[in-house]
Amino acid sequence: MAANWLSERHDFVNPISVSVLLCLIAALVSMKMKTRLKGKVPPGTLGWPFLGETLEFLGCQRRGFPAVFFDTRLQKYGDVFTTHLVGHPTVVFCSPDGNRFLFANENKLVQSAWPSSVGKLFGSSVIVTVGDEARRLRKILMTFLGAEALHKFIGRMDSTTKHHLGQYWLGQQEVIVYPLMKKHTFAIACDLFASIQDARAIAELFHNFMMVCNGVLQVPIDLPGTRYRKAKLAANAIRQQLTNIFEERRIALGNGSASAEQDLLSFLLCNTADGEKSMTDDEIRDNILLLLYAGHDTSSSTLTSLLKFLAENPHCYDQVLQEQLEIADSKKEGELLEWEDLQRMKYSWKVVQETLRLQSPAQGAFRLAIKDFTYAGFTIPKGWKAHWTVNSTHFKSEHFKNPEKFDPCRFEGAGPAPYTFVPFGGGPRMCPGNEFARIEILVFLHNIVKNFRWSLVNSDEKVSIDPMPVPLNGLPIKLLPHQL
């Protein structure tokens, strides 16, 4: 099982093929840019022609040590420096003040800027759009993804989680966590976003989404065999499946056999946020495509890391177990979790937060400078990229004492200083699915600790970030059922 999963992750054709002429042109452009901007931009280097420092940047991630790339430059240049990543001169902001500055100046000085592969795959989704269009789409989506609206779906998540554990975990002596987390979080996303519950339909969607996951942050070379081509074809297949579901749902809404509030799809087909234009069918398709991708990929990474840290820190597991058993004991037999139960999971949420600090699924994001602006006495030119990263604050001793230690208690009281803990980003582009993720993770945690303890098969298993933290072997664990 692990071998098949690993072969899928690495089934790709190397996309880097740069001619000598292009390298020479890029070198001349880079030299001219350095000369023209010398003394104005933050210190640093643009690296190799065309490639910049991208290979070292990606190499540090895939070896599981992304902070090394930033730390070496931070020590040499200071907490704002110039580099060249994924085809663009880039200024990296490595401080809470830098995070605050970028988050506060969205649509004023900078705009969200993802690699072109993301735009090509996710079309008119909220992650791609900017300015007023982004605000409109986000406002509509948040009427469904906000905490209050999600309250009524907690029992549904709980039921799906119980079914998943019964199917894949109970009765097993050993499981591989990450592939199972992918299946589980994807099933929840399919159910809550489009009421897709048929096993064959979910399996077909899941297969296509694995292709999208493998190609979403690749060079968009549309040639047979490349990760990007496979992702593009898979995304189009998903859109066709969603189109068929749309047609069936419109009929069901018309005859009353479907509810306007049963899932995100019905909501988007029937409603808008106050004063906003309704989403077009293309916008609905693209945003459900995005949320199915983001809604399961980040949570599956976090849940895998969470189980790893709890296995390594049994004293934390014991406190989580005690808290969850108290909640379970307060429920009637067969009664599902409710919003009030999640509010009681205070220590459990601190454990999740510490997991997000040490292995955040999102490593950061890029912004595009939409005009020349200054920061810390330096000029960031229009058209350059700006980059914030969790690696510049999450692992610094000035923000977190003993930063390598797993310590949920650091989130007690007022918690970390502002803009030091940023797993969901911040400002107008803060992750819209953060509350959805919180509920999904806590519901799973409640159910897993009620049933099992577990131990790691390989305590030295390495973690690769491509683009999210994933154990190289998927985190095999031995299950130790509680004695009833």
Side-chain angles (χ1 to χ4, degrees):
M1 183 176 180
N4 291 337
W5 169 68
L6 285 170
S7 66
E8 289 178 7
R9 280 177 56 81
H10 295 287
D11 178 22
F12 68 96
V13 175
N14 191 333
I16 301 175
S17 180
V18 183
S19 69
V20 173
L21 178 60
L22 285 178
C23 282
L24 289 173
I25 292 172
L28 290 172
V29 171
S30 177
M31 290 171 61
K32 184 177 180 181
M33 187 179 298
K34 283 183 177 180
T35 301
R36 178 169 56 86
L37 297 172
K38 186 176 181 181
K40 295 182 181 180
V41 300
T45 176
L46 296 177
W48 291 94
F50 185 74
L51 295 176
E53 297 189 294
T54 302
L55 295 182
E56 184 178 355
F57 171 72
L58 294 177
C60 288
Q61 288 195 317
R62 288 169 182 166
R63 289 191 295 272
F65 301 101
V68 170
F69 178 86
F70 302 99
D71 287 347
T72 55
R73 287 151 183 80
L74 190 153
Q75 293 169 10
K76 186 174 182 179
Y77 303 119
D79 61 12
V80 54
F81 63 84
T82 295
T83 181
H84 192 284
L85 300 175
V86 291
H88 294 276
T90 302
V91 175
V92 181
F93 291 70
C94 290
S95 68
D97 286 341
N99 291 340
R100 180 190 293 111
F101 180 86
L102 290 180
F103 297 158
N105 283 289
E106 183 74 30
N107 297 321
K108 301 172 186 174
L109 302 178
V110 297
Q111 286 183 336
S112 179
W114 287 88
S116 57
S117 58
V118 175
K120 293 176 183 294
L121 291 174
F122 294 111
S124 57
S125 68
V126 68
I127 198 173
V128 176
T129 53
V130 297
D132 291 340
E133 278 301 288
R135 283 191 290 269
R136 178 180 71 88
L137 295 177
R138 183 183 178 88
K139 186 176 180 181
I140 294 172
L141 291 172
M142 290 307 297
T143 54
F144 181 88
L145 293 173
E148 184 175 352
L150 288 172
H151 289 186
K152 59 180 173 290
F153 295 107
I154 292 172
R156 197 157 142 185
M157 283 193 190
D158 191 19
S159 178
T160 301
T161 301
K162 286 176 168 58
H163 176 76
H164 169 82
L165 290 175
Q167 186 173 7
Y168 296 107
W169 298 66
L170 295 176
Q172 302 298 314
Q173 293 182 336
E174 185 175 313
V175 297
I176 302 177
V177 173
Y178 184 66
L180 290 181
M181 289 297 91
K182 298 278 282 186
K183 287 181 180 293
H184 169 62
T185 56
F186 190 74
I188 285 183
C190 284
D191 183 25
L192 266 65
F193 295 154
S195 294
I196 303 170
Q197 298 171 336
D198 178 75
R200 284 185 295 181
I202 292 176
E204 182 180 354
L205 276 171
F206 186 74
H207 171 76
N208 285 325
F209 264 98
M210 293 308 98
M211 296 296 102
V212 173
C213 291
N214 286 338
V216 71
L217 292 178
Q218 299 296 313
V219 178
I221 298 175
D222 195 3
L223 294 175
T226 62
R227 280 188 178 189
Y228 173 74
R229 165 63 74 87
K230 294 177 181 179
K232 176 184 174 182
L233 295 176
N236 289 338
I238 293 169
R239 285 187 175 90
Q240 184 56 55
Q241 280 184 271
L242 292 176
T243 296
N244 297 337
I245 293 170
F246 281 19
E247 294 172 356
E248 294 174 0
R249 181 61 58 82
R250 282 196 168 98
I251 294 173
L253 288 168
N255 62 29
S257 60
S259 163
E261 296 184 348
Q262 76 178 49
D263 56 27
L264 177 62
L265 173 58
S266 281
F267 174 82
L268 294 178
L269 289 173
C270 298
N271 299 280
T272 64
D274 292 341
E276 299 293 347
K277 181 179 70 174
S278 300
M279 283 191 187
T280 66
D281 279 5
D282 284 343
E283 288 174 335
I284 295 175
R285 262 188 298 269
D286 288 343
N287 279 285
I288 290 181
L289 174 66
L290 169 69
L291 290 171
L292 284 170
Y293 163 71
H296 88 279
D297 214 34
T298 55
S299 293
S300 57
S301 174
T302 301
L303 281 165
T304 302
S305 299
L306 177 62
L307 266 60
K308 172 181 178 290
F309 287 128
L310 285 175
E312 294 173 338
N313 297 274
H315 63 288
C316 295
Y317 171 91
D318 289 339
Q319 291 186 68
V320 170
L321 176 62
Q322 179 181 351
E323 182 174 78
Q324 297 298 342
L325 288 180
E326 288 175 358
I327 294 170
D329 290 344
S330 70
K331 309 291 289 183
K332 297 178 182 177
E333 185 175 354
E335 187 179 7
L336 297 173
L337 290 172
E338 299 174 327
W339 174 249
E340 292 74 17
D341 300 316
L342 268 62
Q343 296 301 95
R344 296 170 59 188
M345 300 180 187
K346 298 186 184 302
Y347 181 78
S348 297
W349 179 238
K350 293 183 180 70
V351 169
V352 177
Q353 287 177 298
E354 182 69 341
T355 299
L356 290 169
R357 183 186 70 84
L358 285 170
Q359 287 194 343
S360 177
Q363 297 293 297
F366 290 90
R367 299 288 187 263
L368 175 69
I370 56 178
K371 62 176 70 174
D372 289 353
F373 64 87
T374 60
Y375 175 81
F378 298 111
T379 297
I380 289 80
K382 178 182 178 180
W384 279 35
K385 295 289 182 68
H387 182 55
W388 66 267
T389 168
V390 298
N391 297 288
S392 66
T393 57
H394 284 198
F395 306 107
K396 296 294 179 288
S397 57
E398 59 265 38
H399 308 310
F400 298 96
K401 184 179 179 181
N402 299 323
E404 301 302 321
K405 180 182 179 181
F406 186 82
D407 182 12
C409 293
R410 67 176 84 247
F411 288 91
E412 292 178 352
Y419 301 99
T420 60
F421 178 64
V422 288
F424 298 110
R429 303 296 301 203
M430 187 173 183
C431 174
N434 61 335
E435 187 62 29
F436 174 85
R438 189 178 85 89
I439 293 172
E440 181 178 43
I441 291 167
L442 288 175
V443 168
F444 184 87
L445 182 59
H446 172 80
N447 282 280
I448 193 72
V449 300
K450 282 199 311 178
N451 285 281
F452 305 106
R453 288 183 181 270
W454 55 90
S455 62
L456 302 178
V457 172
N458 179 8
S459 60
D460 297 323
E461 185 176 359
K462 304 300 182 184
V463 173
S464 177
I465 299 174
D466 185 23
M468 296 177 190
V470 178
L472 288 178
N473 296 317
L475 197 71
I477 61 174
K478 293 181 179 179
L479 295 174
L480 307 169
H482 292 307
Q483 299 299 317
L484 300 179

